[in-house]
């Protein structure tokens, strides 16, 4: 009955039993007869079966079973046991009842109602003969009509309106979804147990929910739609036990009335109709319904408090004439014998545990909070089964246990969850087995009992205690939803899954017969061949061919190997179960690999993904058709393998640690591999999981993995069904091709660096350029196919960098002797510029990705600047005119300025400012040079003079913004002084010359900031030297990192001193001659005196060769300070 109503077992129902067993339990305080029942617990449900000891022992004398129980029974309970024979009276009553029922149901011979002389309340026939009143309904199931409800008197003690799903007439009518999974045949399911009850009723008695089987015949028709019929000897009065019997039968079946047929020696005397609620008040049969309810509550509480272990068989026993009720754990007693499987309840209970768990798993709307319950049911089921006898159920139960642990759930850790403790293989915690105090709830202990009772789990010392309200309170707690959570850390969860998978594989492998043991085919029996229309299977077959071709290309796959080496028959339960277990293990290893990848344990990650792919290889070799989800999973495995190989390539420094992780293997992993090798040794993807020491090989393997994953998506038409997977694979393909391209590019640069002298570009370099360019080109196509503009721009940027390396290689090949900017260099630099411009067009605008946009702009500016600098420094005068070169240099410099963003605040801003200042300096120098060397066209000279002055001014302004380029600022200022000297040389008037000289002195005075920076760095360096290492360690990075080039500063200082000396001398001469001609002017006199004083001090300083660089800088600063004080005065005097 429990098999047929799995939905009710474990959760909603407290008791499942025969109505006769229920009645026997509730009559214990009133009856002296013996009680013997087997009790089993499934979740919160108790299953009660009659345990006929006499019948059992009679059978055991023939079969040899239950001998241990017989000995125990004789020793402790009934030492003088002998089978009691049933009396003739018993058989007589049984025969007369059978005839009575027969004639009450069938045709003309049916008994007719006899009018009551005592004016009983029935007014019509109870059973008809095919007339309009209706025929008897027995043994058809009774379904209560909606118009017939419980009357008020029986509202709390009758059965609730029975739902149709709980009323079945035959076992065959049980819903299909409640049967075992198709992995099991009916013989192993039922174990020979059948539901022979006429009706199965969900009965609620007070707050006790019971599933009860009943065979009571129910008659009905006309005004009496449902009545029960009883045969009574008119000479024997009804006693309490009979009254309780009738009352409970009617309550269970929800029958409102009882018809009593009184007879004398088989001759019907009269019929009497009694309402169900009146039965407790019959004469000689008075009993309290409240007491019956208390008995029910106490018995249920007693059983629930003591029958705590799922899978155990408990024996509730009361000897005939005794007041003591005892409860024994037969499973514990049976385990003390040689064979624990002598308990015939073991297999049915194990199957029931499995079916309940299976039913809960199959419910789509099942909440995960029940996973703990399912796990407990399955573990208890496994404890009861012998692997040699029931491998199929054990394998399936282990697979279901592995399915409880969701491998694809989000990674989260909940510290508030209780761990699975040591008591998890039982249903309830230890607290549930603690017994309440005897003073309050009666004695459960056996401390005061005779030694004979020490085997009992619990004892009711007197049946009278059952009538006391709430005498026995259940200390059983319904297991909370979080009591046994199955949510662990990723690695622990996967390890548990693999442990269950391994147990399942062992069970399957142990059940597979060796090929030599397989029975030979009967030549007289035709072998059934399944026909399949090609039109329906063309798709999968085509896919399979494509997969075979792909696997053949990938490695060592051989066609036609879809067979098992161990002799498994395709389609058998072993074959199906092993496929599921292998796939589950593959997924577990994949999740483990992904977790190790996150922890940066790349050697461990590669080992796990290798195991995952080995599992998948075996699955592919066994399985004749590949499901789409399996192909998608294979694609994910290959993608992860590619990621791991890439990470190993990028972290080559830890290769020794990764190798150690890779070679480690647990015993569990070895046993799973052994089970896989029983079926197949095909290693299709072995190439993908080797730990190579070669960087190029690792990058190539990574790329190959991504290509394989992409090809799977392509030929299996899974691209449209899994767009995210498709995008991820293409993105990774673009990324790995970028990595390989950069690898070859760096190798080419290294070869170029090692090249000695003026050797031409080698073939090796050219081959590396081609490989790198090809990888970049394919990567760009990958990113463009998924509209990834940012990554496409980065690869275009790298291609531009490759072109610059090619240009630099040709530059090195020319040598420095008579060096000119070659056409090959110009070609490659222009190609680089084209790729950078494509990258900018790919991005569109800066908002798309500011960092990438700024990077591309900087590289483009650098390319223009490098090309212009080379053209300026190594002018190709043999091919081009000077004017054309100057024009091209000017255009390239201006374009470099265009892409050099000096305004945006970023980490690169100082570099941009330095680059812009350098460009203005170079342009100013170029125009200065043109002005010196150019003769003739006055308009052009004037234009060059204006441009030179403009760019010098911009260069100074930008260098002044920088705090780490004092030498560059000083050089620009000195060039400006030289430019002023050049202008003075072409002037004729003294006033014009004086103005130019004062302008030059003013420029020199403005170099004070540069000299202050130089002084600061020199002082910092001297302090660092004097204070030693300890001081150096305490200094901040900005103070200690002096980048001053002392040789450069010394050279510039010497030039500065000489030019300052020259300008001061010229100004003194001009001022002196002007004074003689025009007479003294106070302002000019003051300027003259200052200049003489400064000139004198400068001559003394330059003459003193013992001064250090720092001291010379300090002298210059002092002189510049004096000049700056009179600069305004001097300017006014010249007006």
């Amino acid at each position: 009955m429990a098999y047929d109503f799995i939905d009710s077992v474990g959760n909603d129902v407290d008791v499942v039993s025969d109505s006769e067993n229920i009645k026997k339990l509730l009559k214990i305080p009133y009856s002296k007869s013996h009680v013997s029942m087997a009790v089993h617990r499934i979740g919160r449900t108790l299953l009660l079966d009659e345990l006929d000891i006499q019948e059992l022992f009679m059978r055991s004398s023939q079969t040899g079973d239950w001998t241990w129980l017989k000995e125990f029974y004789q020793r402790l309970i009934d030492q003088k046991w002998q089978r009691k024979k049933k009396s003739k009276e018993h058989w007589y009553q049984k025969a007369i009842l059978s005839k009575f029922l027969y004639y009450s149901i069938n045709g003309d011979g049916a008994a007719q109602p006899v009018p009551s002389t005592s004016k009983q309340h029935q007014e019509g026939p109870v059973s008809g003969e095919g007339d309009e009143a209706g025929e008897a309904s027995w043994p058809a199931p009774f379904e209560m009509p909606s118009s017939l409800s419980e009357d008020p008197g029986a509202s709390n003690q009758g059965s609730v309106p029975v739902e149709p799903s709980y009323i079945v007439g035959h076992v065959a009518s049980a819903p299909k979804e409640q049967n075992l999974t198709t992995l099991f045949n009916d013989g192993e399911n039922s174990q020979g147990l059948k539901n022979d009850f006429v009706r199965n009723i969900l009965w609620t008695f007070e707050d006790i929910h019971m599933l009860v089987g009943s065979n009571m015949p129910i008659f009905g028709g006309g005004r009496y739609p449902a009545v029960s019929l009883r045969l009574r000897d008119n000479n024997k009065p009804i006693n309490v036990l009979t009254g309780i019997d009738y009352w409970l039968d009617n309550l269970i079946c929800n029958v409102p009335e009882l018809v009593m047929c009184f007879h004398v020696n088989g001759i019907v005397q009269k019929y009497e109709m009694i309402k169900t609620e009146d039965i407790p008040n019959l004469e000689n049969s008075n009993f309290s319904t409240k007491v019956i309810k208390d008995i029910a509550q106490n018995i249920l509480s007693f059983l629930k408090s003591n029958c705590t272990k799922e899978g155990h068989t408990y024996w509730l026993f009361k000897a005939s004439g005794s007041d003591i009720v005892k409860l024994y754990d037969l499973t514990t007693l049976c385990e003390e014998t040689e064979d624990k499987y002598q308990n015939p309840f073991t297999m049915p209970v194990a199957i029931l545990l499995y079916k309940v768990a299976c039913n809960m798993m199959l419910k789509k709307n099942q909440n995960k909070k029940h996973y703990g319950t399912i796990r407990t049911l399955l573990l208890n089921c496994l404890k009861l089964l012998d692997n040699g006898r029931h491998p199929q159920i054990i394998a399936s139960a282990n697979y279901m246990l592995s399915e409880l642990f969701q491998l694809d759930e989000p990674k989260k850790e909940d510290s508030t969850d209780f761990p699975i403790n040591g008591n998890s293989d039982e249903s309830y915690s230890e607290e549930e087995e603690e017994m309440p105090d005897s003073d309050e709830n009666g004695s459960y202990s056996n401390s005061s009992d005779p030694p004979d009772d020490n085997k009992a789990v619990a004892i009711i010392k007197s049946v009278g205690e059952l009538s006391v309200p709430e005498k026995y309170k259940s200390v059983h707690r319904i297991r909370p939803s979080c009591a046994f959570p199955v949510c662990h850390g990723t690695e622990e969860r996967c390890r548990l899954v693999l442990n269950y998978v391994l147990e399942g594989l062992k069970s399957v492998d142990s059940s597979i017969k060796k090929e030599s043991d397989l029975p030979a085919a009967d030549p007289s029996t035709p072998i059934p061949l399944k026909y399949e229309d090609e039109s329906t299977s063309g798709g999968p077959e085509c896919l399979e061919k494509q997969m075979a071709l792909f696997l053949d290309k990938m490695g060592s796959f051989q066609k036609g190997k879809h067979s098992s080496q161990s002799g498994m028959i395709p389609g058998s339960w072993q074959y199906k179960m092993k496929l599921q277990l292998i796939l589950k293990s593959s997924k577990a290893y994949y999740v483990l690999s992904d977790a190790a990848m996150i922890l940066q344990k790349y050697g461990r990650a590669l080992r796990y993904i290798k195991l995952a792919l080995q599992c998948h290889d075996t699955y592919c070799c066994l399985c004749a058709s590949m499901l789409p989800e399996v192909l998608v999973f294979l694609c994910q495995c290959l993608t992860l393998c590619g990621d791991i190989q890439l990470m190993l390539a990028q972290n080559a420094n830890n290769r020794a640690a990764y190798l150690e992780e890779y070679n480690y293997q647990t015993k569990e992993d070895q046993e799973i591999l052994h089970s896989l090798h029983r079926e197949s040794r095909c290693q299709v993807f072995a190439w993908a999981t080797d730990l190579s020491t070669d960087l190029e090989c690792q990058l190539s393997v990574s790329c190959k993995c991504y290509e394989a994953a992409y090809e799977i998506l392509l030929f299996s038409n899974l691209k449209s069904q899994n767009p995210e997977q498709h995008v991820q694979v293409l993105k990774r393909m673009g990324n790995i091709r970028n990595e390989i391209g950069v690898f070859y590019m760096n190798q080419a640069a290294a070869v170029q660096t090692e090249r000695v002298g003026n050797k031409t570009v080698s073939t090796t370099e050219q081959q590396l350029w081609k490989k790198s360019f090809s990888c970049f080109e394919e990567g760009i196509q990958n990113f463009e196919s998924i509209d990834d503009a940012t990554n496409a721009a980065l690869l275009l940027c790298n291609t531009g960098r490759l072109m610059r390396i090619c240009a630099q290689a040709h530059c090195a090949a020319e040598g420095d002797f008579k060096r000119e900017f070659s056409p090959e260099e110009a070609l490659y630099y222009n190609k680089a510029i084209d790729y950078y411009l494509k990258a900018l067009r790919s991005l569109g605008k800066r908002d798309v990705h500011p960092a990438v946009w700024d990077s591309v702009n900087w590289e483009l500016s650098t390319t223009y600047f490098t090309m212009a600098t080379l053209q300026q420094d190594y002018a190709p005068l043999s091919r081009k005119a000077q004017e054309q070169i100057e024009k091209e240099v000017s255009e390239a410099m201006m374009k470099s300025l265009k892409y050099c963003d000096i305004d945006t605040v970023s980490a690169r801003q100082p570099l941009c400012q330095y680059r812009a200042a350098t460009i203005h300096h170079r342009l100013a120098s170029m125009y200065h040079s043109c002005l010196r060397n150019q003769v003739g066209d006055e308009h052009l000279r004037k234009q060059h003079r204006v441009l030179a002055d403009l760019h010098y001014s911009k260069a100074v302004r930008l260098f002044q913004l920088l705090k780490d380029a004092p030498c560059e600022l000083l050089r620009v200022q000195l060039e400006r002084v030289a430019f002023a000297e050049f202008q003075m040389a072409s002037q004729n008037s003294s006033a014009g010359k004086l103005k130019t000289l004062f302008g030059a002195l003013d420029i020199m005075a403005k170099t004070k900031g540069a000299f202050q920076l130089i002084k600061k760095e020199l002082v910092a360096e001297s302090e660092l030297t004097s204070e030693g290492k300890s001081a150096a360690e305490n200094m901040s990075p900005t103070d200690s990192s002096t980048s001053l080039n002392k040789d450069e500063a010394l050279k510039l200082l010497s030039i500065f001193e000489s030019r300052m000396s020259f300008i001061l001398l010229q100004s003194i001469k001009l001022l002196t001659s002007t004074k003689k001609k025009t007479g003294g002017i106070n302002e000019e006199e003051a300027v003259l005196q200052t200049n003489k004083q400064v000139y004198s001090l400068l001559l003394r300083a330059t003459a003193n060769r013992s001064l250090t660089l720092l001291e010379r800088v300090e002298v210059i600063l002092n002189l510049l300070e004096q000049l700056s004080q009179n600069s305004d005065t001097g300017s006014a005097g010249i007006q």
Side-chain angles (χ1 to χ4, degrees), residues 305-306 431-445 471-475:
S305 296
N306 296 287
E431 295 175 2
E432 295 168 2
E433 298 188 21
E434 294 177 3
M435 303 309 170
D437 295 334
S438 59
D439 294 340
E440 183 180 351
N441 296 318
S443 174
Y444 282 69
S445 65
K471 176 67 176 176
Y472 295 97
K473 292 181 181 176
S474 174
V475 293

Side-chain angles (χ1 to χ4, degrees), residues 124 188 272 280 297 343 444 460 542 613 649 725 842 864 1103:
E188 197 168 20
E272 183 178 342
Q297 291 282 6
N343 184 348
Y444 282 69
I460 300 175
C542 180
L613 285 170
Q725 184 78 8
S842 173
Y864 275 123

Side-chain angles (χ1 to χ4, degrees), residues 100 114 120 230-238 259-264 266-274:
F100 170 68
V114 179
Q120 298 294 333
R230 298 289 182 173
L231 184 64
R232 289 296 302 170
D233 191 332
N234 203 23
N235 296 325
K236 295 180 181 179
I238 299 174
V259 175
M260 298 278 284
C261 177
F262 294 95
H263 72 97
V264 175
I267 300 170
V268 176
Q269 301 298 312
K270 64 175 179 177
Y271 284 89
E272 183 178 342
M273 185 168 282
I274 307 167

Side-chain angles (χ1 to χ4, degrees), residues 87-106:
S87 63
K88 290 183 179 180
E89 180 66 22
H90 170 81
W91 297 113
Y92 171 75
Q93 292 296 334
K94 196 166 185 179
I96 198 169
L97 176 62
S98 175
K99 283 191 174 185
F100 170 68
L101 290 175
Y102 174 79
Y103 285 110
S104 297
I105 295 168
N106 294 298

